[in-house]
Structure formats: structure tokens, C-alpha cells
Amino acid sequence: MKRILIVGGGYAGFYAAWKLGKRLRPGEAELVVVDPRPYLTYQPFLPEVLAGSIEARHAAVSMRRHLRRAKIIAGRVTVVDHARRSVTVQPPDGDAFEVGYDLIVVTAGAVTRRFPVPGIVERAIGLKHVEEAVAVRDSLLTSFDRAAVLPPGAMRQRLLTVTFVGGGFSGVEGFGELLSLATALLKKYPEITRDELRFHLVEASDRILPEVSPEAGRWVVRSLEGRGGEVHLNTVVKSAVDGHVVLSNGVEFDTELIVWTAGNDANPVVRKHTDLPITERGLVVVRADLRVGTDVEAVPDAWAAGDDAAVPDVVHGGYTVPNAQHAVRQGKLLARNIAASLRGRKVRPYAHHGLGSVATLGIGRGIFQYKKITIKGLPAWLMHRGYHVLAVPTWERKVRVLAVWLTAALFGRDIVSLASVEHPRDAFVGGGEPVTHETAARS
């Protein structure tokens, strides 16, 4: 059998493997998926994981459970040597090893873009994976518990100050959902007043949500500010050493929580460690049919899609935007085209007419835009939930998410922080003695 190796289990890789598993005949080809995480993270649900509206595990889809036709290798591809039809895999433990293949599918995805801002690497949390969303939520809940027993002052204000850097979909949705959670928590914490909450959203450009119209973006800013958020446009973070944030507009404040969502960068494996053709931005050069190469010449036995590929946009010109809508549909087309190519049939170009943009801004708040149609508030929020519960892969995950939403509607969100799982041995080592926040941090 030919071996099809899929590098990365994100949207494009997961859907390619999932659909190929259904299309391939028994014995036609062997599927291998290599990814450090044994699950697909459904990133549109991460803002709701922040807010406690969705259980963390429900935003993750198990590869071993649903990719039954594929062999899953838990590890990170560090080198792609297509000339030798081989990749180097670094597992979590042990030495690196090589895996050979007959056909490769590069869907390694993007990584969080970072800038050399003092203090950011030491203090900030990203928002691309489930564990990051859980950490952000637990950090806020723990801060409320700590602030509630402190007298008014600098430390209490620091604990009740939250900073998001980046005004794209991840940043704005995460900011809106966490602000919604914090506002709801005030009912459970009578010691804390609304005026003590400080939520800062920092964006380097002159607008947020570039996928929607400028007018719609301004409405979102007004909505967030009307709920107590502070939006800093045309502003960058100059420093965040020890949680003391210095902005380019002259504003300074101390914050306990910094969430970094300032866009994506090319995957270093694709940018530096492959012999496949790449663009100046470090993306794999692909044709409209998702084969690696140019219209003049394709690279044999190589395919790519998703955030690590420069996919031509045959509908609007240029290249497709790196988002979930495109990655999911490109993954499905990968499966169709790869199966067709194995059987000597014609492959199809990728062409997708956008379905519009929809964003959640917190419970009961959202915005949807399709061409000149703009819907705001509760209807847009319902559309957001409806679209994503249909889009999340597998019926098992759809049912679990719907069950959690129904439970939350009846009983409210779960506000228990499990930050202590980061130090599970404290109770055992301490012998039942109370462990302070500072002691836990040192351990």
C-alpha cells in the first residue's frame, strides 16, 4: 500500500484524514497523522471555554476515536525531506526518528506571532489551544477569589485588571466572553464592584475585526466600551515586565492576566526545515487544486492546505485568508483530490464563496455580516452558536456541546476554578497545611 503522511492534525489535516478514511477502499492506502496533540482543537469554541459556556474537553475532538483508518503518531515533525520521501519526528520522550512516505500532506498550521516585547514571553498566555483557554479562565476566577479578601489598593486592582493584545477574531471574541464572565461573577462576589474591573483591549491598527466592515467594527468597539471595556486603537504594548504594562499611547497599568492574540506566524518547520517550495512569508507554494507547486509545474506526491499554505483564491484573487472556514473546506477537498489522483481521475480547484463573518461578544451578544447585511446583538449570537454547533466535527461533539449549553441555560455557568491542578502535589507535600499563592508559584 502507498503511505499517505499527514503533517499536522488541525482543521485541514483532521478533515483530510477523516474524509480520506471514508473514501479510501480497504487496502488502497495507509494513513498516518503526525501531531504533538492527540486531538483537534475546535478554536471557535475557545472563547466560550474562557467564559465557562463550554467544557474544555468538548472543544477538543479525539483523533484516535474518530480517525479510525489512520495511524496516529504523537510527535512534532521537525524536518520534511521530500527528496527522500521522509520526515523527522520528535516524540515527547526519547530520540527523534524518521518516517517514510509515498505521498505527503502538509497541514502543519500556523503558530502564534510574537514580538520582542519585554515581559510578554514571561507573562502572557496565548489563545490557540484548549489548555490556554482553561488557564485564562482559571486565572480570572482565582483573581476574583484573591481580590475579594484584599483591601482596596494596588494589588487588588492588579488582580481585577485584564489585558488582551490583538483585535482580530480571537482577541475580540475572547475579550467579549471574558468580560461577560467577569460581569456575571459580580453577583457572586458582593465584595467587588463593577467600577473595580479593568479590561483593556490593545490593537496596533486603527480598527478591530478586519474581516467585517469599518462601520461594523466601530459598533463592536462601542458595544465593548459600553460594557466597561477599554479599547486602545493605533496602540502597541511597549513593555509588560512583571505585569506592568506600558502602552505606546502613554497609558500604564498593572495587570495579572495578559492574553496574547496578535495574529499568526508561519510554522517554523515549513519556513526553515523543508525542501518544498515556500513563499517569502514562509508558506508552502500550492496550486488551486492544493498540489504543491505552481501552475507550470507541480511537485510530485506533495499536497498542502490550511494556514501553512499559500492557496490561490480563484474567486476573489490573491490568496485565501487563513481561517477555519477555508481550512475545513480545503481539508475536505484534499481528501477528494487525493483519492481521485490515486485512481487516475481529475482533481478539482479550491473555490469557496464566503458565508460571511460571525463573532460572539459574550452571552446574548454578537455580530454577523454577509456582504451588506449586518445583524447585531442576540440574533447574531444565536447564529454564532447555531453555525458552530453544526460545524464542529462529529455528532458526538455536537450533542455534548448542546447538552452543556442547555445545562448552562438552566443553572448558569460553572464558576469553579481548577487552577490548583497546575500544582497537584501541594496538598500531599504540605500535609494538609494551607498553601499560599506565592508558595504554589515557587513550587
Side-chain angles (χ1 to χ4, degrees), residues 278-436:
I278 61 173
T279 67
E280 293 181 356
R281 294 175 52 212
L283 305 178
V284 181
V285 177
V286 300
R287 300 152 53 107
D289 58 15
L290 305 182
R291 286 183 289 184
V292 176
T294 65
D295 291 336
V296 177
E297 183 179 6
V299 176
D301 304 322
W303 303 73
D307 292 356
D308 64 359
V311 180
D313 190 336
V314 300
V315 177
H316 304 100
Y319 298 98
T320 58
V321 178
N323 62 23
Q325 275 194 40
H326 286 299
V328 168
R329 287 160 179 79
Q330 288 168 10
K332 294 178 180 179
L333 182 65
L334 273 173
R336 186 187 189 103
N337 281 352
I338 291 171
S341 69
L342 290 175
R343 299 163 188 166
R345 298 176 183 172
K346 185 178 180 181
V347 297
R348 298 183 179 182
Y350 176 73
H352 172 62
H353 298 272
L355 302 176
S357 299
V358 62
T360 174
L361 304 174
I363 296 288
R365 299 177 174 90
I367 186 166
F368 167 81
Q369 188 169 61
Y370 176 68
K371 295 182 178 179
K372 295 183 179 180
I373 301 174
T374 302
I375 300 174
K376 306 170 184 175
L378 179 61
W381 178 75
L382 292 173
M383 293 172 69
H384 177 274
R385 286 204 160 184
Y387 171 77
H388 284 299
V389 79
L390 291 174
V392 67
T394 79
W395 279 102
E396 174 252 346
R397 275 298 178 261
K398 298 180 199 294
V399 172
R400 289 183 187 273
V401 169
L402 284 171
V404 173
W405 280 343
L406 178 60
T407 304
L410 293 174
F411 303 108
R413 290 182 277 203
D414 193 338
I415 60 171
V416 175
S417 169
L418 295 179
S420 58
V421 300
E422 297 178 16
H423 310 282
R425 299 182 65 253
D426 284 348
F428 175 73
V429 174
E433 292 294 326
V435 180
T436 67

Side-chain angles (χ1 to χ4, degrees), residues 10 13 40 58 96-97 99 105 186 199 222 262 306 323 328 356:
L40 160 72
H58 298 170
F97 56 89
V99 178
V105 182
L186 294 175
F199 271 67
R222 293 195 299 270
N323 62 23
V328 168

Side-chain angles (χ1 to χ4, degrees), residues 5 54 65 76 104 115 266 299 321 365 384 393 426 442:
L5 179 71
I54 289 179
R65 177 169 184 168
R76 187 181 304 277
I104 191 169
F115 298 97
V299 176
V321 178
R365 299 177 174 90
H384 177 274
D426 284 348
R442 286 196 297 270

Side-chain angles (χ1 to χ4, degrees), residues 86-325:
S86 174
V87 299
T88 302
V89 178
Q90 178 60 61
D93 304 291
D95 298 329
F97 56 89
E98 291 191 352
V99 178
Y101 62 83
D102 298 291
L103 185 152
I104 191 169
V105 182
V106 182
T107 54
V111 297
T112 301
R113 181 173 57 187
R114 299 189 308 189
F115 298 97
V117 179
I120 285 296
V121 172
E122 294 79 11
R123 297 288 308 184
I125 303 175
L127 194 55
K128 287 183 71 69
H129 303 289
V130 172
E131 57 268 31
E132 294 173 321
V134 172
V136 171
R137 177 176 178 268
D138 285 347
S139 176
L140 179 73
L141 294 173
T142 302
S143 291
F144 264 72
D145 284 330
R146 295 171 61 196
V149 297
L150 289 176
M155 188 59 195
R156 179 178 170 118
Q157 186 59 72
R158 175 193 178 101
L159 290 168
L160 298 175
T161 300
V162 175
T163 306
F164 274 71
V165 184
F169 263 93
S170 294
V172 171
E173 288 190 316
F175 184 84
E177 286 285 356
L178 203 64
L179 178 58
S180 176
L181 173 61
T183 303
L185 287 175
L186 294 175
K187 298 178 182 179
K188 308 296 182 182
Y189 290 83
E191 306 91 343
I192 300 174
T193 65
R194 179 66 188 82
D195 294 339
E196 292 182 277
L197 296 183
R198 295 285 186 273
F199 271 67
H200 298 271
L201 175 61
V202 183
E203 168 55 40
S205 69
D206 60 354
R207 55 175 298 195
I208 61 174
L209 295 180
E211 293 85 352
V212 304
S213 67
E215 181 181 355
R218 288 191 290 270
W219 178 86
V220 174
V221 170
R222 293 195 299 270
S223 175
L224 295 175
E225 291 181 337
R227 294 160 55 193
E230 300 180 46
V231 181
H232 306 269
L233 300 177
N234 294 310
T235 305
V236 298
V237 177
K238 297 176 65 177
S239 175
V241 177
D242 295 329
H244 180 73
V245 175
V246 180
L247 303 182
S248 60
N249 61 2
V251 176
E252 297 186 30
F253 52 86
D254 290 328
T255 182
E256 185 68 10
L257 176 59
I258 302 174
V259 184
W260 186 267
T261 61
N264 295 325
D265 203 355
N267 194 301
V269 175
V270 175
R271 187 177 63 235
K272 301 178 181 178
H273 305 292
T274 178
D275 56 354
L276 296 173
I278 61 173
T279 67
E280 293 181 356
R281 294 175 52 212
L283 305 178
V284 181
V285 177
V286 300
R287 300 152 53 107
D289 58 15
L290 305 182
R291 286 183 289 184
V292 176
T294 65
D295 291 336
V296 177
E297 183 179 6
V299 176
D301 304 322
W303 303 73
D307 292 356
D308 64 359
V311 180
D313 190 336
V314 300
V315 177
H316 304 100
Y319 298 98
T320 58
V321 178
N323 62 23
Q325 275 194 40

